[in-house]
Amino acid sequence: MDAYGGLYETMHWFEGDMAVVGYVPAMEEKASSPGVEFLLETSGLSLIFDGTQVKGIYAQREDGSYIQIDAKGVVLTTGGFGYNDKLLPRWGFCLDHLKKMENPNNNGDGRGCLRRILRCAGQMPVG
């Protein structure tokens, strides 16, 4: 991990200075070979549980339509939260001196899914 010079080591540098250029294509190719389907422009809304196991997700597509995805396995990729002005200060970032360079969709919604998983599994207190 490369530090960008701030208080926390939070920035990664990739070819072309963008993960979409130097990282994503190789990961997408590797994941696609066993049949992984990527749903871009789709926001996860709520996980589907069977007891304490995640069995799928409810999501919303860019056109506003809702879908249910049932799955044998779910990979939770939380993404960033660089465009969430409520979360940033909680994690020590000063909004007055912050230059946002991330994807505007990095709003921290994946972190909410992770919190619900941990809560359901009894690993995290509610609140």
Side-chain angles (χ1 to χ4, degrees), residues 32-111:
S32 294
S33 63
V36 171
E37 181 181 355
F38 292 89
L39 300 175
L40 306 178
E41 307 297 335
T42 304
S43 296
L45 300 176
S46 179
L47 297 167
I48 301 168
F49 287 93
D50 180 7
T52 59
Q53 294 193 351
V54 177
K55 295 294 185 174
I57 191 166
Y58 296 109
Q60 185 174 21
R61 295 180 187 241
E62 185 178 33
D63 66 6
S65 63
Y66 295 94
I67 57 174
Q68 176 178 333
I69 304 164
D70 298 314
K72 294 178 185 176
V74 174
V75 177
L76 178 62
T77 55
T78 61
F81 58 93
Y83 269 79
N84 186 319
D85 288 347
K86 291 182 181 178
L87 280 179
L88 287 166
R90 287 177 53 193
W91 285 91
F93 293 92
C94 176
L95 297 179
D96 296 336
H97 301 97
L98 184 66
K99 179 178 178 183
K100 295 182 180 179
M101 298 171 45
E102 290 191 47
N103 181 326
N105 293 319
N106 287 349
N107 58 20
D109 56 356
R111 295 173 49 82

Side-chain angles (χ1 to χ4, degrees), residues 12-25 101:
H12 305 278
W13 301 109
F14 300 99
E15 176 186 337
D17 292 331
M18 295 183 71
V20 72
V21 173
Y23 179 72
V24 172
M101 298 171 45

Side-chain angles (χ1 to χ4, degrees), residues 1-4 8-14:
M1 179 183 303
D2 296 325
Y4 66 96
Y8 305 101
E9 293 182 354
T10 60
M11 183 62 80
H12 305 278
W13 301 109
F14 300 99

